[in-house]
Amino acid sequence: MASSAQRAGGADKRRMILDAAVVAFATRGFHACRVSDIADQANVAYGLVYHYFRSKDEVLDTLFLERWNVLLEVIAEIDGHPLPAREKLHAIASFIIDSYRHDPDLMKVIIVEVTRAANSFGRTHLAKIREAYELIADIVGKAQADGSFRSEVTPTFAALAFYGAIEQVLTGWIFDTLPQGEAEFDQAKAFIVETICGGLDANRPSTRPV
Amino acid sequence: MASSAQRAGGADKRRMILDAAVVAFATRGFHACRVSDIADQANVAYGLVYHYFRSKDEVLDTLFLERWNVLLEVIAEIDGHPLPAREKLHAIASFIIDSYRHDPDLMKVIIVEVTRAANSFGRTHLAKIREAYELIADIVGKAQADGSFRSEVTPTFAALAFYGAIEQVLTGWIFDTLPQGEAEFDQAKAFIVETICGGLDANRPSTRPV
Amino acid sequence: MASSAQRAGGADKRRMILDAAVVAFATRGFHACRVSDIADQANVAYGLVYHYFRSKDEVLDTLFLERWNVLLEVIAEIDGHPLPAREKLHAIASFIIDSYRHDPDLMKVIIVEVTRAANSFGRTHLAKIREAYELIADIVGKAQADGSFRSEVTPTFAALAFYGAIEQVLTGWIFDTLPQGEAEFDQAKAFIVETICGGLDANRPSTRPV
Amino acid sequence: MASSAQRAGGADKRRMILDAAVVAFATRGFHACRVSDIADQANVAYGLVYHYFRSKDEVLDTLFLERWNVLLEVIAEIDGHPLPAREKLHAIASFIIDSYRHDPDLMKVIIVEVTRAANSFGRTHLAKIREAYELIADIVGKAQADGSFRSEVTPTFAALAFYGAIEQVLTGWIFDTLPQGEAEFDQAKAFIVETICGGLDANRPSTRPV
DNA sequence: GATGAATGAGGCTTCATTCAT
DNA sequence: TATGAATGAAGCCTCATTCAT
């Protein structure tokens, strides 16, 4: 599990500050984290943060956008492959969960401080966050169109449920209310997909014609 | 849709302050909301807030606990009825969504400032929040035991997925990324249950024997 | 050692409040002591304090003046007796030290919050406090006039030194930097008088004629 | 008489703040003095006080310790010289009184807000304050051992009486109940020593053998 | 007399941000 | 680039006091 700080290859101070911010934000939370905490973590003077970023907010914005854009690209790329929808969803869940596995601090910051903090940063990035929902909804919609998914539920709701399940699981790991580890990570991917795609009912009511 | 402020029947200043806080927190967010905003909204003097509550935090704590305890009781009560698990889940989703329908500000505050704000108040109330998950997991577990639910997924994961889906939908309404209205509320209840219980797959893989 | 609270004979609420204030002020200090602390200690509602006293200040003023006036009377009375100056000083030191012995909380409040707090209450009562110095100075002055005390030092200075010594000793007891007990109390009286009257020098330089 | 503010030679803002605090504390008293008063007096921004000091308290602590440590060193140094005890006491009284002469505001703050304010700052610095008493008591004790001082009184009491006399005199100057001026300063030194060492009695009772 | 709800002024402290060097 | 001294707005909370009952 590579720590955020280790990602800084050389003397790129901007990168060092970003990586330090991940640790600082994850440790103290964005609000409680002072700019000087970031600078201390990065071993630079705190004025330097303002050399590279307009504000403390911009540091978090940058962190979020860097990662979220990767997520969007990955989802799009997954969707480009000729896979069954269920496998596409599994691939998406895998990517997100593996992101947490590889850099839990960064995912903690993104989820806790942005994605789930709709009143502060989430507000700013609402549109960006929705893009992910919509890409997922697209996958569902196309699967419904080709008959591999049932049409009982709108793609939008299906996407919300899918993403909501992932976020709840990540939150459980982040705040240690759910056991985590290699086995749990892979199990979670399977369970989330199984719940959303397979459903809980033992005897499913016959599918209504749409 | 009854606003929080209107609920105060008489001259109970404590209640008035709590109701005013709902409006104030919902409007500006907990952090951005000053104690004087609450007092102004309640039409009482600044200091009176501190006569009834030790701190601004305690106001939110009180608001959350009042409502969350009702939720816990309702879930327990629902579970007490001899209903199919699917209907129990529908009843729970109904209660939560109707809570939003009847007092959107209060639910907004609880979800945005507590339930989804794991870094601040959520942390404090983590145990309380988990109680709800566990009650839901119990329902799932018992349904798996009696064969009405499949056992592909652990009750814990099922509960997370179920609650996660509800929370995402509420968040969508709260931040206006999802259309809301009477029809949408009832539809959402059905969709959430259908997604979690029915699953998305048109042709479900045969259930593994437990 | 009679505690302040026990002095309240009957249901005299005013007296109960004053006695409670002694305990409260002694325990928390005047500034840190809230009006409600006094009321709690007296087992009355705190509004009642304002029925009997105009302000929190007036409570302390009352406490101080009650006792200080007794001191002034006692000094005057002692001075009225046909005693050697040295014995008069011993009687004064005795009265003050016994006051502490009988009600340490009250003396603590008077010394810590008034007499030694020249920037707050001492300022208000400066004139009253000086009266004591002047009565003592009078005793010294008369003794110098009749030849029983030397005239090397002005009566004013002698009085300051005498009272200053007493206050330092009381302060030592109050803040537990000096051992206290029955033996120490009587010893202190003797030592203070011996220091001021006898002097420390083994071989005193011959007295200069005035 | 150099005012505290004038002592700041250059642009050392920390020093300027400390010197300004002396003036501000002396003028309004510690409690009534706002941090902004200090900043205004120092002509710096509000927040700079917090750049150099953790709190308003720390400003006073610093002021006290700076000066009191000098006092302790001076007493120790005086005691190091081969002087008669009486002259050592005179030197100590001289140093303290001259401290007041050279910077009355600083001494006012130290005495009124720390040394005589045993309920607030004095409490914190009790041990430090006692160190001075003990150094003085040492001088007395050694003089008693070599026979130059009588042993009627314990060194501890003698030290309390000596320091108490000085403090009373300074308090008299600080609150203008005692005339002050060059002549008075020198006279006070002599009078205090004369009172404590020479004693007031014209005919001293014969010294008891120890 | 007695209660305690209601009032509201006042100040310490934090910390993001700027800027001279 | 890099530093960290300097700025100052903003808000929580305390608590003496008032007053209706």
Side-chain angles (χ1 to χ4, degrees):
Chain A
M1 226 184 276
S3 96
S4 305
Q6 293 169 336
R7 282 175 316 200
D12 183 347
K13 293 282 177 74
R14 196 186 116 96
R15 188 73 254 160
M16 282 170 68
I17 289 170
L18 282 171
D19 291 336
V22 169
V23 177
F25 291 161
T27 306
R28 323 176 56 112
F30 179 81
H31 266 105
C33 177
R34 284 160 287 173
V35 174
S36 68
D37 292 327
I38 303 174
D40 287 352
Q41 178 75 32
N43 264 311
V44 298
Y46 64 83
L48 198 59
V49 175
Y50 286 90
H51 186 76
Y52 289 108
F53 304 93
R54 245 190 304 278
S55 66
K56 182 179 147 187
D57 283 21
E58 204 186 74
V59 176
L60 180 54
D61 286 342
T62 304
L63 246 17
F64 168 73
L65 287 172
E66 271 188 4
R67 191 70 200 157
W68 201 258
N69 281 327
V70 172
L71 173 64
L72 294 179
E73 284 164 25
V74 167
I75 297 177
E77 200 235 304
I78 289 170
D79 192 24
H81 291 289
L83 294 166
R86 190 186 175 114
E87 284 178 35
K88 289 182 180 175
L89 294 186
H90 189 275
I92 293 171
S94 286
F95 178 76
I96 297 176
I97 287 173
D98 288 340
S99 293
Y100 175 77
R101 190 201 320 246
H102 295 317
D103 196 341
D105 278 350
L106 177 58
M107 284 305 277
K108 175 175 180 177
V109 169
I110 286 175
I111 289 187
V112 171
E113 307 295 350
V114 186
T115 275
R116 289 180 71 86
N119 239 5
S120 48
F121 281 87
R123 202 58 157 275
T124 317
H125 297 296
L126 222 47
K128 202 81 193 173
I129 295 170
R130 283 185 67 183
E131 284 184 40
Y133 299 165
E134 281 158 15
L135 290 175
I136 296 169
D138 264 8
I139 293 173
V140 173
K142 285 186 289 187
Q144 288 178 331
D146 72 20
S148 59
F149 272 2
R150 299 188 307 147
S151 295
E152 257 70 14
V153 160
T154 62
T156 299
F157 267 85
L160 288 178
F162 176 68
Y163 181 78
I166 296 176
E167 215 187 64
Q168 284 295 322
V169 170
L170 286 173
T171 303
W173 290 332
I174 289 168
F175 292 103
D176 254 325
T177 60
L178 209 57
Q180 56 185 305
E182 293 302 306
E184 280 79 6
F185 294 144
D186 288 330
Q187 190 193 44
K189 300 173 189 176
F191 279 179
I192 289 166
V193 174
E194 181 58 37
T195 303
I196 299 297
C197 297
L200 297 174
D201 285 340
N203 301 299
R204 209 162 62 179
S206 65
T207 296
R208 287 173 306 187
V210 189
Chain B
M1 226 183 277
S3 95
S4 305
Q6 292 168 337
R7 281 176 316 196
D12 184 345
K13 294 284 177 73
R14 196 186 116 97
R15 186 76 256 158
M16 283 170 67
I17 289 169
L18 282 171
D19 290 336
V22 168
V23 177
F25 290 161
T27 306
R28 321 175 61 111
F30 179 81
H31 268 105
C33 175
R34 286 160 292 167
V35 174
S36 69
D37 293 328
I38 303 174
D40 288 351
Q41 177 75 30
N43 261 310
V44 298
Y46 198 97
L48 198 59
V49 176
Y50 287 90
H51 186 76
Y52 289 109
F53 304 93
R54 251 189 299 278
S55 66
K56 185 179 144 186
D57 283 22
E58 205 186 73
V59 177
L60 180 53
D61 286 341
T62 303
L63 245 17
F64 167 73
L65 287 172
E66 271 189 3
R67 193 69 201 158
W68 200 260
N69 281 326
V70 171
L71 173 63
L72 295 179
E73 283 163 26
V74 166
I75 297 178
E77 201 235 304
I78 287 170
D79 191 23
H81 290 289
L83 294 167
R86 190 185 174 116
E87 284 178 36
K88 288 181 180 176
L89 296 185
H90 189 275
I92 292 171
S94 285
F95 177 76
I96 297 176
I97 287 173
D98 288 340
S99 292
Y100 176 76
R101 190 202 318 248
H102 294 317
D103 195 343
D105 279 349
L106 178 57
M107 284 305 279
K108 174 174 180 178
V109 170
I110 286 175
I111 289 187
V112 172
E113 307 296 351
V114 186
T115 275
R116 287 180 72 86
N119 239 6
S120 48
F121 281 87
R123 201 56 157 276
T124 317
H125 296 296
L126 222 47
K128 202 82 193 171
I129 295 171
R130 283 186 66 183
E131 284 183 40
Y133 299 165
E134 281 158 16
L135 290 175
I136 295 170
D138 263 9
I139 292 173
V140 173
K142 284 185 292 187
Q144 290 178 329
D146 72 20
S148 58
F149 271 4
R150 299 189 305 147
S151 295
E152 257 69 14
V153 161
T154 62
T156 298
F157 267 85
L160 288 179
F162 176 67
Y163 181 78
I166 297 176
E167 215 186 66
Q168 285 296 321
V169 170
L170 287 173
T171 304
W173 289 332
I174 288 168
F175 291 103
D176 255 325
T177 61
L178 209 57
Q180 57 185 304
E182 293 302 306
E184 280 80 5
F185 294 144
D186 289 329
Q187 190 193 44
K189 299 171 190 178
F191 279 1
I192 289 165
V193 174
E194 182 58 37
T195 304
I196 300 298
C197 297
L200 297 174
D201 286 341
N203 300 298
R204 209 162 63 180
S206 65
T207 296
R208 287 175 306 188
V210 188
Chain C
M1 226 184 277
S3 95
S4 305
Q6 292 169 338
R7 282 176 317 200
D12 183 347
K13 293 282 178 71
R14 197 185 116 97
R15 187 75 255 159
M16 282 170 67
I17 289 169
L18 283 171
D19 290 336
V22 168
V23 177
F25 290 161
T27 306
R28 322 175 58 109
F30 179 81
H31 266 105
C33 176
R34 286 161 287 172
V35 173
S36 68
D37 291 327
I38 302 174
D40 287 352
Q41 177 75 31
N43 264 310
V44 298
Y46 65 84
L48 198 59
V49 175
Y50 286 91
H51 186 75
Y52 290 108
F53 304 93
R54 246 191 303 278
S55 67
K56 182 179 148 188
D57 283 23
E58 205 188 73
V59 177
L60 180 53
D61 286 341
T62 303
L63 245 18
F64 168 73
L65 287 172
E66 271 188 3
R67 192 70 200 157
W68 200 259
N69 281 327
V70 171
L71 173 64
L72 295 180
E73 282 163 28
V74 166
I75 298 178
E77 200 235 304
I78 288 169
D79 191 24
H81 290 288
L83 293 166
R86 190 185 175 114
E87 284 177 36
K88 289 181 179 175
L89 294 185
H90 189 275
I92 293 170
S94 285
F95 178 76
I96 296 176
I97 287 173
D98 288 340
S99 293
Y100 177 76
R101 189 199 323 243
H102 294 318
D103 196 342
D105 278 350
L106 178 57
M107 284 305 279
K108 175 174 180 177
V109 169
I110 286 175
I111 289 187
V112 171
E113 306 296 349
V114 186
T115 276
R116 288 179 72 85
N119 238 7
S120 48
F121 281 88
R123 202 56 158 280
T124 317
H125 297 295
L126 222 48
K128 203 80 192 173
I129 295 169
R130 282 185 67 182
E131 283 183 40
Y133 299 165
E134 281 159 15
L135 289 175
I136 296 169
D138 264 6
I139 292 173
V140 173
K142 285 185 289 188
Q144 289 177 331
D146 72 20
S148 59
F149 272 4
R150 299 187 306 147
S151 295
E152 256 70 13
V153 160
T154 62
T156 297
F157 267 86
L160 287 179
F162 176 68
Y163 180 78
I166 296 176
E167 215 186 65
Q168 284 295 321
V169 170
L170 287 173
T171 303
W173 289 333
I174 288 167
F175 291 103
D176 254 325
T177 60
L178 208 57
Q180 56 185 306
E182 293 302 306
E184 280 80 5
F185 294 144
D186 289 330
Q187 190 193 45
K189 301 172 189 177
F191 279 0
I192 289 166
V193 174
E194 181 58 36
T195 304
I196 300 298
C197 297
L200 296 174
D201 284 341
N203 301 298
R204 209 162 64 180
S206 64
T207 295
R208 286 174 306 184
V210 189
Chain D
M1 227 184 275
S3 95
S4 305
Q6 293 168 338
R7 281 176 318 199
D12 183 345
K13 293 284 177 74
R14 197 185 115 98
R15 187 75 254 159
M16 282 170 67
I17 289 169
L18 282 171
D19 291 337
V22 168
V23 177
F25 291 161
T27 305
R28 323 175 59 109
F30 179 81
H31 266 105
C33 175
R34 285 161 292 168
V35 174
S36 68
D37 292 328
I38 302 174
D40 288 351
Q41 176 76 29
N43 262 310
V44 299
Y46 200 99
L48 198 60
V49 176
Y50 286 91
H51 186 75
Y52 289 109
F53 303 95
R54 251 189 300 278
S55 67
K56 185 179 144 188
D57 283 23
E58 204 185 75
V59 176
L60 180 53
D61 286 341
T62 304
L63 245 17
F64 167 73
L65 286 172
E66 271 189 4
R67 193 68 200 159
W68 200 261
N69 281 328
V70 171
L71 173 63
L72 294 179
E73 283 163 26
V74 166
I75 297 178
E77 201 235 304
I78 288 170
D79 191 25
H81 291 289
L83 293 167
R86 190 186 175 114
E87 283 178 37
K88 288 181 180 177
L89 295 185
H90 189 275
I92 293 169
S94 285
F95 178 76
I96 297 176
I97 288 173
D98 288 341
S99 293
Y100 176 76
R101 191 203 316 249
H102 294 318
D103 196 341
D105 278 350
L106 177 57
M107 284 305 278
K108 174 174 180 178
V109 169
I110 286 174
I111 288 185
V112 171
E113 307 295 351
V114 186
T115 276
R116 289 181 70 87
N119 238 6
S120 49
F121 281 87
R123 201 57 157 278
T124 317
H125 296 297
L126 221 48
K128 203 80 192 174
I129 295 171
R130 282 186 67 182
E131 283 184 40
Y133 300 165
E134 281 159 16
L135 290 175
I136 296 170
D138 263 8
I139 292 174
V140 172
K142 284 185 291 188
Q144 289 177 331
D146 72 20
S148 58
F149 272 3
R150 299 188 306 146
S151 295
E152 256 69 13
V153 160
T154 62
T156 298
F157 268 85
L160 287 179
F162 176 68
Y163 181 78
I166 296 176
E167 214 186 66
Q168 284 295 323
V169 170
L170 287 172
T171 303
W173 290 332
I174 288 167
F175 292 102
D176 255 325
T177 60
L178 209 57
Q180 57 186 303
E182 293 302 307
E184 280 80 5
F185 294 144
D186 289 331
Q187 189 192 44
K189 300 172 189 175
F191 279 0
I192 289 166
V193 174
E194 181 57 36
T195 302
I196 299 298
C197 297
L200 297 174
D201 286 340
N203 301 299
R204 209 161 64 180
S206 64
T207 294
R208 286 176 306 186
V210 187

